[in-house]
Amino acid sequence: MELTPTHLGLCVSDLDASLRFWRDGLGFETREVLELGSEWADALEVESPAEFTSHFIRKGALEFELLFYKSPAPTGEASRSRGQIGLTHLAFGVDDLDAALEHLVAHGGTVLETTRTALGPVELAFVADPDGTRIELIQTSA
């Protein structure tokens, strides 16, 4: 049996703010947008009636489905610790950590200052997207 990854799903509370961060900030491109309803409620484990936008974005081989629920309203919060069970963060390599952090802040991100770390040739920091999803930025010097 062969399993082929297709995408990751990310529930967002504000689609415009999330697109500003993920598309305009991180450079993903819209691939497809679907307006969906209660026919997907059971599969997505949400209560019916459901009304939501499924906005697929892609960068290289990495694809996300941003799920924006008009009904029912999204609940919960993103992981705030890399020690919490479940998906804790996504990582991106950058050439200039300071410039990348500044760029993402300008597009709705929040730098988590206490995460900034330099160990040998590796410097990293975490940024939270508008809903708190953690993004790790890694700069490696030669």
Side-chain angles (χ1 to χ4, degrees), residues 7-68:
H7 68 276
L8 298 168
L10 185 63
C11 182
V12 301
S13 65
D14 181 330
L15 185 57
D16 291 334
S18 293
L19 287 171
R20 185 169 177 247
F21 181 84
W22 289 92
R23 189 182 56 198
D24 304 339
L26 285 170
F28 283 78
E29 294 181 1
T30 294
R31 188 185 65 73
E32 181 177 21
V33 179
L34 304 168
E35 299 295 331
L36 302 167
S38 295
E39 67 276 12
W40 289 98
D42 289 343
L44 297 177
E45 301 177 293
V46 297
E47 291 186 25
S48 193
E51 182 182 357
F52 65 99
T53 301
S54 171
H55 193 118
F56 286 89
I57 57 174
R58 170 176 263 167
K59 182 173 186 172
L62 186 56
E63 185 167 319
F64 283 93
E65 177 184 17
L66 300 179
L67 294 162
F68 171 64

Side-chain angles (χ1 to χ4, degrees), residues 74-134:
T75 61
E77 62 181 48
S79 169
R80 295 190 182 275
S81 165
R82 268 42 69 210
Q84 184 175 331
I85 292 174
L87 182 64
T88 65
H89 70 284
L90 301 164
F92 294 86
V94 298
D95 294 332
D96 183 335
L97 184 58
D98 290 322
L101 292 171
E102 185 177 317
H103 179 75
L104 290 177
V105 166
H107 289 87
T110 303
V111 177
L112 306 172
E113 294 293 344
T114 61
T115 66
R116 187 135 189 187
T117 305
L119 298 169
V122 176
E123 187 174 3
L124 64 87
F126 282 85
V127 176
D129 84 347
D131 286 307
T133 300
R134 296 333 197 216

